[in-house]
Structures are given as structure tokens and as C-alpha cells.
Amino acid sequence: RLAPTLVYGYTYPLFVVNYHLPYILAEPFMLVIGDAVFAYKAIMSASFVLGAVFVFLFFRKIASDFASLCGAVVYCYNPYRFASLYHRGAIGESLAIALLPLIFLGFHKIAEGSKHALPFTALAVFAVINSHSLILLISAPLFLVYILFFLKLNMRKFLQIGIAFLWGFALSAFQILPSLFEKKFMKFDEILLSHYNEYFRNFFQIYGLPLNEINRNFYF
């Protein structure tokens, strides 16, 4: 779990809190091609294409084919998606966003009483957690709103969704447990907080006005 070449060879427990699935999926490309850049671009490209396919299949549950196609285009070409792909190069986020519609598709399979709905939803939850667990956490309120106000499930099917999530979390224990119990040994939170000053600008910086020492440290 230690990345042996980081921090000038002193190693770093990167994979304690970092995602695993993008690297697992990139491994076949590394074995065949032997080029890390090619493997990285292959996963990023696949996440873009598969995201369109998955969200189209989900939208088809609630809309026409044409509306689903339009929704898939918007989903793929929204600014946040492009920022993750082309500006930040966030492979974990890109893969998690591509896989997120599968969870919603799993909700519909459970509502329809599909035979394989539970394992399908559990694997979707597992895949998103191991692509980028924060994406799942951020999406949790949206899951709840969708289940309660759009699907309107009975208690039995609602419990099945809960079981599917617990199953997905159990499959992801090798990622979740170390990230919870060993995070105290890393400066993970401090690094995330430092990004705040880099990406959130104040009023004067947005409009290109001169900064003084008072407003230099004032961030929205």
C-alpha cells in the first residue's frame, strides 16, 4: 500500500486513501502496451464514452430516446466534466462520474423487481466508491431525494436499496477501513483545504481589481 517511488524514495501511503479501480482497469494496458500515458488516456477516454452510454440507459427509464440522448450529451459536455477531463486530469473523478448513472439504473431495477437488481446495484456502489468515494458521498442527498420523491418505493424495496448499499460498502472494505482508521497518519485534510485558496477567488480577484492586504485574505 506504499507508493515506493514517492517523496524521494521514502515512500508514501498513497493508496490508503486514494482510489483503486482506475489503476486496476489501467493495468491491462500497462501489461500489453507498457506505456503509462497511454493507459491513463485509455481510462479517461473510456470514462467519457461509457459515461454517455450509462447515463443514456438510465434516462431511458424515465424519458424518450431523443430526450435521453440530449440528456447524455449534456451530461458529457457540462463544464465540470470537461474540467475533470482536460484541466485537472482527475482520473478517479472522471471514472466515478461515468459509473454514477449505474446506481440510479440499479434503483430502477430494484423498483421493477429485476432478478439481479441487488448484486447489480451493489457492484455499482462498489465501483463508484473505488473510483472516487467523495463522489458517492456528495451524491448521497441526490440518491435520497430521487428514491423518496421520484421512485416512491414501498418499504420492502427501500430496504433492498439499503442492503445493496451495505453490500457495496462491504465489498469496498479494503478501501474504506484503512482510509478511516489510518487517515490520521496523513496530511490529507490539510492538502484539500489548501486547494480552497487556489480555486475560490474573492470579488476583487474575479473582476481583476487591485488587492490590498485586507481583502487579500478574504475568500468567499
Side-chain angles (χ1 to χ4, degrees):
R1 294 185 296 144
L2 293 173
T5 59
L6 294 184
V7 196
Y8 305 100
Y10 285 102
T11 76
Y12 190 73
L14 177 68
F15 298 105
V16 170
V17 296
N18 208 15
Y19 34 77
H20 294 73
L21 189 60
Y23 301 110
I24 294 171
L25 296 179
E27 184 64 16
F29 295 102
M30 285 295 298
L31 293 174
V32 175
I33 307 296
D35 186 348
V37 175
F38 180 88
Y40 168 81
K41 290 183 177 181
I43 299 303
M44 293 291 276
S45 301
S47 72
F48 186 79
V49 175
L50 291 177
V53 174
F54 294 154
V55 81
F56 175 79
L57 294 175
F58 160 54
F59 286 153
R60 281 189 65 191
K61 293 290 185 180
I62 56 176
S64 66
D65 288 349
F66 179 73
S68 301
L69 180 62
C70 293
V73 171
V74 172
Y75 189 77
C76 290
Y77 286 93
N78 70 76
Y80 174 75
R81 191 81 170 96
F82 260 47
S84 296
L85 281 168
Y86 295 110
H87 175 62
R88 297 171 54 242
I91 188 172
E93 281 185 33
S94 296
L95 187 59
I97 293 169
L99 296 171
L100 200 60
L102 291 178
I103 296 180
F104 288 95
L105 192 59
F107 295 160
H108 280 274
K109 286 183 176 293
I110 290 175
E112 296 165 359
S114 175
K115 182 179 179 181
H116 304 293
L118 273 178
F120 178 89
T121 308
L123 286 174
V125 171
F126 163 81
V128 173
I129 289 175
N130 286 277
S131 297
H132 202 289
S133 55
L134 287 179
I135 294 294
L136 186 74
L137 184 63
I138 293 170
S139 304
L142 185 60
F143 293 152
L144 191 60
V145 169
Y146 191 79
I147 292 169
L148 294 177
F149 296 100
F150 290 92
L151 290 181
K152 298 178 181 179
L153 304 175
N154 57 36
M155 183 57 67
R156 179 173 176 272
K157 293 188 182 298
F158 189 80
L159 288 176
Q160 286 180 339
I161 289 179
I163 292 171
F165 268 85
L166 288 175
W167 194 356
F169 278 104
L171 291 172
S172 307
F174 68 94
Q175 158 69 13
I176 295 174
L177 295 181
S179 65
L180 289 176
F181 292 107
E182 299 180 10
K183 190 166 68 70
K184 60 185 178 181
F185 300 116
M186 305 178 67
K187 293 185 177 294
F188 190 68
D189 293 337
E190 291 87 338
I191 294 172
L192 285 180
L193 290 174
S194 70
H195 291 334
Y196 178 75
N197 291 344
E198 297 176 13
Y199 292 102
F200 288 85
R201 304 290 87 182
N202 65 33
F203 176 85
F204 302 97
Q205 291 169 316
I206 291 173
Y207 291 98
L209 301 176
L211 293 174
N212 56 40
E213 290 302 317
I214 295 177
N215 64 47
R216 185 181 300 276
N217 296 318
F218 180 77
Y219 290 90
F220 292 118

